[in-house]
Amino acid sequence: MSAQLHLNAFLMGVGHHEAAWRHPRTDARNVARVGYFQELARTAERGKLDSVFFADLLSVGARIDRNAQSIFEPITLLTAMAVATERIGLIATASTGYHAPYNLARALASLDGISGGRAGWNIVTSVGADEAANFGFPDVPDHAGRYRRAEEFVEVATALWDSWEHDALVLDTESGIFADPDKVHTVDHVGERFTVRGPLNVPASVQGRPLLVQAGSSESGKDFAGRWAEAVFTAQRSIPEGQDFYRDVKSRAVAAGRDPDEIKILPGIVPFIAESEAAGRRLEREFTELISPEYALRQLSQMVGVDLTGYPLDAPLPPLPPLDRIQGNKSRYQLVKDLAARESLTIGDLIAELGGGRGHRTVAGTPEQIADDLQRWFEAGAADGFNVMPPYLPGGLTDFVDQVVPILQARGLFRTDYTETTLRGHYGLAPHIGRYAPAVAGVGR
């Protein structure tokens, strides 16, 4: 069988477009309905997608009077979705900046166990000043410091997940042995930021540990991905850019002593699916016309590190600070700066361009055109799959599953049924082998 691509459904509120909640194709009340999210997961599972994914913020967001795309904490919400599904992977964003390793490792291991080995962790360092303020910080911790903390955090979390060997849970009622204490290990981590004894109080799942996902595209982020990530969500806007990023991250994985096939690159795509390309563009404009400038300006200001609220929408971006002064999302800052310069976009143009996916690529067209686009990227070596970001929900996901996925399946580019039961299996990865398991020739950890 020829290589097949991977598909993740990135779910956000009632859609990724920032005006989705105002459009008649959505019901804004769904953001607070657990049953709605369970149905989205079932739709993604019906399409045999690898996983669903939630981003997260530890604050109310840019302008609560205009929009709030996330209501529920992701691990809690995905646990509710786990009991409504059987095979779809469940990826939660959680910050290394404002959690303790033990509690977060426990929560993710619990989701992994409850779901039968379908959990993943999107590792973020948190870049928002509003988030920092909620945890007693006067500003966002510096970029380098956030990644140093993330490195140690993941070292501790993975050690905790390894603290139970796969057969440590005995449950022998006759002998009265619940677990083999020789197969449950302390961690005894003493580091720069964390001191953790262990072991974890949740046994390892059937997939060994949650899938590790990362989305930062700065130099530090790519180094981090090369060492740790098994899937990478990224925003690339052209095939050459995608190819460069793909080769770069894979080479960093090799430099870290890993097999490059163990890390899957999934660029984001925001598909407006319609009966024609023109109809797709008209649909996109309908959403753009509903954008709140107040909300969008706050979002754009955070991306570029300059308060734009006093600038006219028909003006170009003002001079921006150099990259080394950006302590927030460096890769998104660079993407927006380059986009504005390359296409001579005004502030208003940028608001319209970024409204669908905050810098991710927007594609409008027929199901065949969307499938053609994905196939070109995949076959050009610019992606191992895609982070599908429906601009509105549930219709945008339903259309992708019912109209685009069958075309990819007919072309042999995507599975027609699940062959694995775990998230790691969906992404073509073997179960994780813990550090205390006997060494097996040809099998990595």
Side-chain angles (χ1 to χ4, degrees):
M1 180 183 293
S2 60
Q4 294 188 331
L5 53 81
H6 300 280
L7 294 173
N8 172 76
F10 182 177
L11 306 178
M12 180 177 285
V14 292
H16 274 273
H17 198 285
E18 60 189 49
W21 70 280
R22 301 182 64 195
H23 196 278
R25 293 197 181 204
T26 70
D27 181 351
R29 294 170 296 182
N30 280 334
V31 298
R33 292 172 174 166
V34 174
Y36 157 77
F37 289 104
Q38 290 175 319
E39 187 58 36
L40 291 178
R42 285 191 287 263
T43 298
E45 188 168 73
R46 176 164 54 80
K48 315 303 178 186
L49 270 60
D50 295 68
S51 49
V52 297
F53 157 63
F54 286 99
D56 193 33
L57 283 176
L58 296 170
S59 66
V60 297
R63 285 289 301 262
I64 192 61
D65 61 331
R66 296 295 182 178
N67 198 357
Q69 294 174 312
S70 299
I71 297 293
F72 297 117
E73 187 279 320
I75 298 175
T76 308
L77 180 57
L78 286 166
T79 303
M81 295 165 75
V83 300
T85 55
E86 296 180 354
R87 303 294 279 275
I88 192 80
L90 308 162
I91 301 174
T93 295
S95 172
T96 60
Y98 306 117
H99 284 100
Y102 194 95
N103 280 349
L104 183 54
R106 184 189 188 205
L108 288 164
S110 297
L111 174 60
D112 209 22
I114 290 167
S115 65
R118 295 187 281 139
W121 174 24
N122 177 45
I123 305 161
V124 300
T125 64
S126 293
V127 300
D130 292 344
E131 295 174 289
N134 285 337
F135 292 86
F137 294 91
D139 203 349
V140 181
D142 71 276
H143 186 267
R146 293 201 311 274
Y147 272 99
R148 286 195 301 272
R149 179 184 170 94
E151 287 279 355
E152 186 178 349
F153 195 113
V154 177
E155 288 174 7
V156 177
T158 53
L160 287 166
W161 289 327
D162 281 356
S163 64
W164 285 69
E165 296 185 35
H166 77 280
D167 57 351
L169 194 63
V170 177
L171 301 177
D172 188 329
T173 56
E174 289 191 14
S175 66
I177 302 298
F178 183 82
D180 183 345
D182 292 333
K183 295 185 177 182
V184 182
H185 306 272
T186 59
V187 171
D188 297 319
H189 176 90
V190 179
E192 180 183 355
R193 291 167 173 81
F194 306 112
T195 299
V196 181
R197 180 177 182 272
L200 197 64
N201 56 351
V202 181
S205 79
V206 294
Q207 70 171 349
R209 75 181 187 198
L211 184 82
L212 299 181
V213 183
Q214 192 264 355
S217 297
S218 66
E219 292 303 306
S220 298
K222 289 184 287 188
D223 280 342
F224 186 89
R227 284 190 292 273
W228 293 107
E230 292 157 322
V232 175
F233 298 152
T234 182
Q236 306 299 321
R237 296 184 63 86
S238 70
I239 286 179
E241 289 175 355
Q243 290 169 325
D244 288 345
F245 181 86
Y246 187 97
R247 288 190 293 263
D248 188 1
V249 174
K250 297 270 185 172
S251 68
R252 295 181 199 228
V254 171
R258 300 176 60 199
D259 182 340
D261 289 338
E262 292 179 353
I263 182 169
K264 312 298 182 183
I265 311 299
L266 285 77
I269 179 172
V270 183
F272 283 89
I273 304 167
E275 66 274 13
S276 68
E277 183 175 350
R281 292 297 177 197
R282 285 196 298 272
L283 180 61
E284 183 179 6
R285 284 195 296 274
E286 287 180 16
F287 283 83
T288 300
E289 289 167 0
L290 294 175
I291 289 175
S292 165
E294 297 91 345
Y295 176 83
L297 278 173
R298 176 71 185 275
Q299 292 279 84
L300 183 57
S301 297
Q302 291 180 339
M303 289 182 188
V304 299
V306 173
D307 185 357
L308 300 173
T309 53
Y311 290 85
L313 296 181
D314 59 358
L317 284 175
L320 301 182
L323 182 62
D324 60 7
R325 286 180 51 195
I326 299 297
Q327 297 302 332
N329 190 326
K330 289 180 180 288
S331 58
R332 197 54 51 87
Y333 162 89
Q334 195 64 54
L335 183 152
V336 173
K337 180 180 179 181
D338 292 347
L339 177 65
R342 183 172 61 247
E343 301 184 18
S344 301
L345 300 182
T346 65
I347 293 172
D349 294 334
L350 279 168
I351 286 173
E353 182 67 29
L354 300 172
R358 302 165 305 286
H360 291 85
R361 196 166 57 95
T362 299
V363 179
T366 65
E368 290 80 8
Q369 287 175 310
I370 303 297
D372 289 346
D373 181 273
L374 302 184
Q375 183 171 357
R376 280 193 297 271
W377 276 65
F378 179 60
E379 293 181 345
D384 291 308
F386 298 91
N387 196 18
V388 181
M389 304 166 59
Y392 60 95
L393 290 167
L397 178 63
T398 301
D399 287 350
F400 186 86
V401 163
D402 291 342
Q403 299 179 40
V404 178
V405 167
I407 298 171
L408 297 173
Q409 291 170 329
R411 296 178 184 180
L413 293 170
F414 191 63
R415 67 173 70 89
T416 56
D417 203 354
Y418 290 112
T419 59
E420 303 288 341
T421 60
T422 68
L423 177 55
R424 298 181 66 82
H426 296 340
Y427 279 92
L429 301 172
H432 171 73
I433 299 174
R435 64 195 69 190
Y436 298 105
V440 178
V443 179
R445 286 176 167 71

